[in-house]
Amino acid sequence: MRPEYRIEDLAHHSGATVRTIRAYQDRGLLPRPERRGRSNVYGESHLARLRQIADLLDRGYTLASIKELLEAWDTGRGLGGVLGLVAEVQGPWTDEEAARITRAELDARFGGTPDEDAVREAVELGVLERLPGRDAEEYLVPSPQELAVAVELYAAGVPLSAITGHLRELREQVEHIAGRFLEFTTEYVFARYLEHRPPTDSDAAEAATMVRRLRPLAQQTVDAELARAMRILATRHLQIHLSPEAPPPVKDDESRPVRIPAGTVRAVQALVGAENVAAFVTAATEREVHKRTLDALATNPPDAPTVH
């Protein structure tokens, strides 16, 4: 005899709430139950459909997209190729394997002094992932290479706050590059596989094969371009700092040189002569600072003294 469920039993076995099940029915995602007297009866097909929906939601699909996919499944077009494409895209995009690290090992790599703020920010960034039931004594490291870079930078004298700030900025820029690569390949490679919504089983399977072929290209291109840019910019940076004309490094409490546009310098020379450029700029700067100080005092005057 095939299993039969009341809606409460179906909710228990599927992990969905009764309210969610009814909402799926209203949206056409779940077939209506069979009516038995005053009771609604659900079967194994309802349970399987709820598990399919949950799996697709976990993969990032919207309910509208899930409805299209399930309708394709119901009309015999198949979901095997589509789910294979999803699995290919969501699979690892690197050969690097995740590792684990204890809290003691983590502290030791970063100077031996526990830093709760740094750990919390690393978890927020996904550099570390908490392991359930470990009481924060052990973490998953999705990218050991990324953590190793942070360790080396810290050992070289870079503060942890600067490292995490740099990672946030870098991540934003890399996501932009990834987005452009996806737009490029979608326009010129994958558009033909996505003419139908959802794609046919065979088109989805071909697209999954193409993803496997193109997967390494993004990283190879970025690696090559990063190497080229680093060679050019690092050489230029070194030349600037080794140049005899380069100003010596200054402390925070010392004056720092300010570059003035060449056009401005020429205009000042024409006005006061080359020998008076420095004095003119200094006087103009002091006058502007003085003016702004007076403006600030006029806008926010200090408390007047009390007269007795």
Side-chain angles (χ1 to χ4, degrees), residues 3 5 10 30-31 42-52:
Y5 309 98
L10 185 65
L30 191 68
Y42 298 83
E44 279 295 298
S45 62
H46 294 92
L47 181 59
R49 175 58 56 90
L50 285 172
R51 288 172 175 167
Q52 279 181 335

Side-chain angles (χ1 to χ4, degrees), residues 73 76-85 198-208:
W73 174 273
R77 288 170 59 188
L79 275 181
V82 171
L83 295 181
L85 174 59
T200 64
D201 208 40
S202 59
D203 280 350
E206 286 185 27

Side-chain angles (χ1 to χ4, degrees), residues 61-209:
Y61 280 81
T62 64
L63 288 177
S65 298
I66 291 173
K67 184 177 181 181
E68 291 183 0
L69 290 171
L70 294 177
E71 287 173 351
W73 174 273
D74 291 338
T75 56
R77 288 170 59 188
L79 275 181
V82 171
L83 295 181
L85 174 59
V86 171
E88 193 65 47
V89 170
Q90 293 186 339
W93 284 71
T94 175
D95 294 333
E96 187 179 16
E97 295 184 2
R100 295 191 178 195
I101 188 170
T102 66
R103 180 56 191 270
E105 292 171 335
L106 186 65
D107 291 341
R109 292 193 188 184
F110 290 94
T113 303
D115 189 332
E116 298 300 330
D117 291 337
V119 171
R120 184 166 51 253
E121 193 159 14
V123 171
E124 181 183 333
L125 287 167
V127 177
L128 300 174
E129 292 182 6
R130 299 189 189 278
L131 291 170
R134 297 285 179 166
D135 297 327
E137 291 303 317
E138 188 175 22
Y139 297 88
L140 181 71
V141 185
S143 174
Q145 291 180 5
E146 192 169 51
L147 182 63
V149 170
V151 171
E152 289 297 327
L153 289 173
Y154 181 80
V158 182
L160 283 174
S161 58
I163 294 173
T164 54
H166 176 70
L167 177 57
R168 288 182 187 277
E169 180 181 354
L170 180 65
R171 182 168 293 179
E172 181 179 342
Q173 294 170 346
V174 170
E175 286 177 357
H176 174 73
I177 294 172
R180 291 292 297 119
F181 187 81
L182 286 174
E183 292 171 1
F184 172 78
T185 53
T186 297
E187 179 179 359
Y188 292 102
V189 179
F190 292 104
R192 61 180 177 272
Y193 300 116
L194 304 175
E195 293 177 354
H196 304 94
R197 293 190 60 189
T200 64
D201 208 40
S202 59
D203 280 350
E206 286 185 27
T209 300

